[in-house]
């Protein structure tokens, strides 16, 4: 668990067999924008994290292979004000080092709150490469 997960109050769930990562969070006042709904940046963070870990799962069952986000496009569909939200990633294409990942953010009733598509690049794990 990285400090960002703790600070924002979300958990990561991994389904290695399905090559899917999920970010689950209970909305609190900390996560709301000025209008009282889930902040778009919080939604984007959940989508990005679930997508990046999903890309990692394509290489190892723990999702530890480092990937960086090359691009992330987010579309917002509905407001969420309370309850739990879940971001679920799935690989839609790519090759050995680049993965295309789609991700949905849904509330506890299954309503689509936001959706993203992203491109993720595998990084060598030598500790000397700089993140893109």
């Amino acid at each position: 668990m990285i400090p960002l997960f703790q600070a924002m109050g979300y958990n990561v769930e991994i389904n290695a067999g399905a090559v899917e990562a999920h970010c689950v969070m209970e909305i609190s006042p900390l996560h709301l924008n000025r209008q009282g709904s889930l902040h778009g940046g919080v939604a984007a963070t959940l989508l990005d994290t679930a997508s990046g870990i999903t890309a990692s799962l394509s290489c190892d069952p723990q999702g530890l292979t480092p990937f960086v986000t090359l691009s992330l496009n987010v579309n917002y569909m509905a407001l969420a004000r309370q309850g739990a939200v879940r971001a679920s990633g799935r690989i839609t294409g790519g090759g050995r080092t680049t993965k295309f990942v789609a991700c949905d953010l849904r509330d506890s009733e299954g309503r689509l709150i936001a959706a993203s598509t992203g491109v993720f690049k595998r990084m060598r794990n030598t500790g000397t490469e700089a993140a893109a």
Side-chain angles (χ1 to χ4, degrees):
M1 186 162 203
I2 65 170
L4 177 66
F5 300 178
Q6 291 175 322
M8 289 185 61
Y10 65 91
N11 294 311
V12 174
E13 299 173 357
I14 292 175
N15 184 338
V19 190
E20 293 178 354
H22 308 272
C23 291
V24 182
M25 183 186 78
E26 187 74 28
I27 297 172
S28 77
L30 174 71
H31 305 118
L32 303 179
N33 61 22
R34 293 179 296 155
Q35 293 77 36
S37 60
L38 182 64
H39 190 284
V42 173
T45 298
L46 295 172
L47 293 163
D48 185 47
T49 302
S51 295
I53 296 172
T54 295
S56 293
L57 286 169
S58 70
C59 299
D60 72 84
Q62 292 82 31
L64 298 177
T65 301
F67 274 78
V68 295
T69 308
L70 296 179
S71 70
L72 186 71
N73 182 45
V74 179
N75 294 296
Y76 300 94
M77 278 52 146
L79 299 176
R81 297 184 188 280
Q82 60 186 4
V85 290
R86 171 184 288 270
S88 301
R90 66 191 173 287
I91 294 176
T92 59
R96 222 177 47 132
T97 59
T98 304
K99 302 294 179 184
F100 299 94
V101 182
C103 195
D104 292 340
L105 181 68
R106 296 185 180 273
D107 66 13
S108 57
E109 298 172 3
R111 192 169 49 121
L112 184 62
I113 304 303
S116 68
T117 56
V119 181
F120 298 82
K121 180 180 180 184
R122 181 178 181 174
M123 301 300 291
R124 287 191 209 133
N125 197 11
T126 65
T128 59
E129 291 82 12

